[in-house]
Amino acid sequence: LAKTTQPISMDSYEGQEVNITCSHNNIATNDYITWYQQFPSQGPRFIIQGYKTKVTNEVASLFIPADRKSSTLSLPRVSLSDTAVYYCLVGETDTGRRALTFGSGTRLQVQP
Amino acid sequence: DAGVIQSPRHEVTEMGQEVTLRCKPISGHNSLFWYRQTMMRGLELLIYFNNNVPIDDSGMPEDRFSAKMPNASFSTLKIQPSEPRDSAVYFCASLTRQGGTEAFFGQGTRLTVV
């Protein structure tokens, strides 16, 4: 299994850009990188997915270097409502459970 | 679409009682996952179905837990007998297609066993 490592917690202020990096040294050729967001008392919500280089959507950007051994989730101009736990997942569901095995996540606290 | 629907939202039961949690995945999704979340252990994958067939149940904690998916629109997770350490939030999630990673989660069932 491609194990992921990400910071336990991060603090930021409103309006700042937040970058959360995830390490996945054992990523396999067919693996995708997926990020989820979870608010208290809710189920996780898909944010973004990528394979290589850069992916951007209306919520975030995902930067993946050429060796794919890490990835960085970038949240532009965070607000208080971005306070949540962010999970990095690596894998593909064809193999059963890998893509949806959640680690400890990064607890982001945004302050005014 | 109403999304993934779980019931009940809250369940309080006494130790030793049978508990059944229910999940209705999004129509057309062919993969379904059951999770358990606690402060101590985080979000644990319990079991995964693909096309109504259990693929991996290695996360099911013990024989007291069982899950079924009799058809594409319904799944149950049963605990019999329940114990206080089973208290947690149980989530169900479904996937659009095999090989995808954009899963949709339900609101969860908060189970308290006293």
Side-chain angles (χ1 to χ4, degrees), chain A residues 34 36 38 44 49 93 96-97 100, chain B residues 35 37 48 56 58 99-101 103:
Chain A
T34 310
Y36 282 79
Q38 185 178 25
Q49 172 190 301
T93 57
R97 63 185 294 168
L100 292 189
Chain B
Y35 291 87
Q37 187 169 36
Y48 157 56
D56 184 353
S58 60
T101 59

Side-chain angles (χ1 to χ4, degrees), chain B residues 56-111:
Chain B
D56 184 353
D57 65 353
S58 60
M60 296 286 262
E62 49 197 274
D63 293 344
R64 296 185 298 106
F65 285 69
S66 63
K68 294 181 180 180
M69 192 164 186
N71 56 62
S73 59
F74 184 65
S75 177
T76 60
L77 178 66
K78 184 176 295 185
I79 308 172
Q80 166 63 23
S82 58
E83 297 182 3
R85 59 190 168 127
D86 301 331
S87 298
V89 179
Y90 291 81
F91 288 104
C92 173
S94 68
L95 270 175
T96 56
R97 59 176 172 83
Q98 188 173 7
T101 59
E102 183 177 356
F104 293 81
F105 281 74
Q107 289 297 303
T109 295
R110 181 174 296 277
L111 173 66

